[in-house]
Amino acid sequence: MAVFRGDPCGIFCILLTYSAVSYADYVVIRHLIIPTMSESLIGAVNVVIFNVVIFLMVMSHLRAVLSDPGTVPIPKTSLDFSDVHNGRKMSKENGWTVCMKCETYRPPRAHHCRICRRCIRRMDHHCPWINNCVGESNQKYFIQFLLYVGIASIYSIGLVIASWVFDQSSDSGGSHHTRMVHSIVLVIESILFGMFVIAIGCDQMQAILSDETAVEQAKKQGSYRANLSKKDLLAEVFGKGSMCFWLCPFHSPPSTDEVTPDDLSA
């Protein structure tokens, strides 16, 4: 089920993201490859490779934005939480707790997001850059998006360097200065976005391998399952099939056997 949040900050970040991506693609093709590599096969190869990376980045971003992160369903019938309203803590034997904002039971590791206004399964954090929570069902796409942004950033800087190193033209007029300005802006953009996604990506991988989401780290709850191997933790996010699909935004993450609040209240 596709979702889209109406958060103004998130919508602005999405527009900023696609503006930056479009600008980078424009500069790479118009001001780097065409003036310096258009007469060789390597120019066409770089255009294809760079745009494949951009395509994978956009697809993984769209899936992270539009995928349900793992919203805990609201029960079909209202539940009686009068004891909780009176100050008594209530939890199920299997680790489910009560969310008083959603007025429902929620599974272990689920937390309430004040922006989405729902409880999210294995919620890590709410990210304005995808205008969505990073949770059980879309964390794979979020990490893919970070990876492809990082690759595009490094590739862009490499193309800037190559275009100036192998530039054989003697033109020092307006087009030369225009290309220099665009190259400088692209390098600054690539460094900023590259450093940003590397930091977040390392944080995400650390959270997965330690089996502790950002929310759990803030609460100092420790690792959720100490005996699970690193490979199993990664497979839980990216899928238990072939590792070739771990970087593919068209392959859905593994589904979990969902227990609904109605099952608990029965």
Side-chain angles (χ1 to χ4, degrees):
M1 180 182 68
V3 298
F4 187 79
R5 315 297 180 188
D7 178 44
C9 178
I11 294 174
F12 172 78
C13 288
I14 288 177
L15 294 176
L16 180 61
T17 298
Y18 287 116
S19 297
V21 171
S22 299
Y23 175 75
D25 199 32
Y26 163 74
V27 173
V28 164
I29 295 175
R30 176 64 183 83
H31 294 284
L32 299 183
I33 293 179
I34 291 179
T36 61
M37 308 177 193
S38 58
E39 297 181 358
S40 65
L41 180 61
I42 194 170
V45 171
N46 278 309
V47 168
V48 172
I49 294 176
F50 187 77
N51 280 275
V52 166
V53 174
I54 294 296
F55 174 74
L56 292 172
M57 177 204 307
V58 170
M59 292 307 301
S60 57
H61 184 259
L62 286 175
R63 296 211 67 175
V65 170
L66 300 176
S67 295
D68 184 342
T71 305
V72 177
I74 299 295
K76 298 176 182 178
T77 58
S78 59
L79 305 178
D80 181 16
F81 293 123
S82 56
D83 289 342
V84 181
H85 284 292
N86 292 331
R88 177 185 173 187
K89 291 185 178 181
M90 180 183 294
S91 62
K92 291 288 184 177
E93 293 180 358
N94 54 9
W96 285 59
T97 56
V98 174
C99 175
M100 295 312 302
K101 296 178 180 178
C102 292
E103 291 283 339
T104 185
Y105 291 109
R106 60 187 176 190
R109 311 191 79 179
H111 300 278
H112 187 87
C113 175
R114 61 180 180 83
I115 299 177
C116 297
R117 298 179 181 177
R118 294 290 294 275
C119 286
I120 307 297
R121 299 172 68 99
R122 206 173 70 219
M123 174 182 169
D124 187 84
H125 68 288
H126 185 95
C127 178
W129 294 101
I130 63 171
N131 191 32
N132 203 355
C133 276
V134 176
E136 182 178 79
S137 301
N138 70 342
Q139 189 176 25
K140 170 183 176 177
Y141 306 128
F142 180 66
I143 295 176
Q144 288 174 347
F145 169 64
L146 298 177
L147 173 66
Y148 292 124
V149 170
I151 293 175
S153 299
I154 296 172
Y155 204 161
S156 297
I157 295 174
L159 287 174
V160 169
I161 296 173
S163 69
W164 287 99
V165 169
F166 298 106
D167 184 15
Q168 301 296 326
S169 66
S170 57
D171 180 24
S172 59
S175 61
H176 178 85
H177 295 297
T178 299
R179 184 157 69 93
M180 179 178 293
V181 170
H182 282 300
S183 297
I184 293 173
V185 174
L186 179 59
V187 168
I188 293 174
E189 176 188 316
S190 298
I191 291 174
L192 291 176
F193 276 89
M195 293 178 63
F196 183 65
V197 298
I198 288 174
I200 298 179
C202 290
D203 182 70
Q204 285 291 296
M205 293 306 297
Q206 189 273 334
I208 293 173
L209 296 177
S210 64
D211 199 21
E212 187 180 21
T213 66
V215 176
E216 292 165 347
Q217 289 176 6
K219 294 182 177 180
K220 298 181 179 180
Q221 294 179 347
S223 178
Y224 184 70
R225 294 158 299 183
N227 297 326
L228 214 57
S229 69
K230 304 298 184 184
K231 183 178 180 181
D232 289 338
L233 290 170
L234 290 170
E236 191 175 65
V237 173
F238 293 101
K240 298 183 182 300
S242 173
M243 293 176 63
C244 299
F245 294 112
W246 284 15
L247 302 181
C248 177
F250 304 103
H251 185 258
S252 300
S255 59
T256 56
D257 296 331
E258 184 175 355
V259 180
T260 67
D262 294 295
D263 297 327
L264 288 172
S265 61

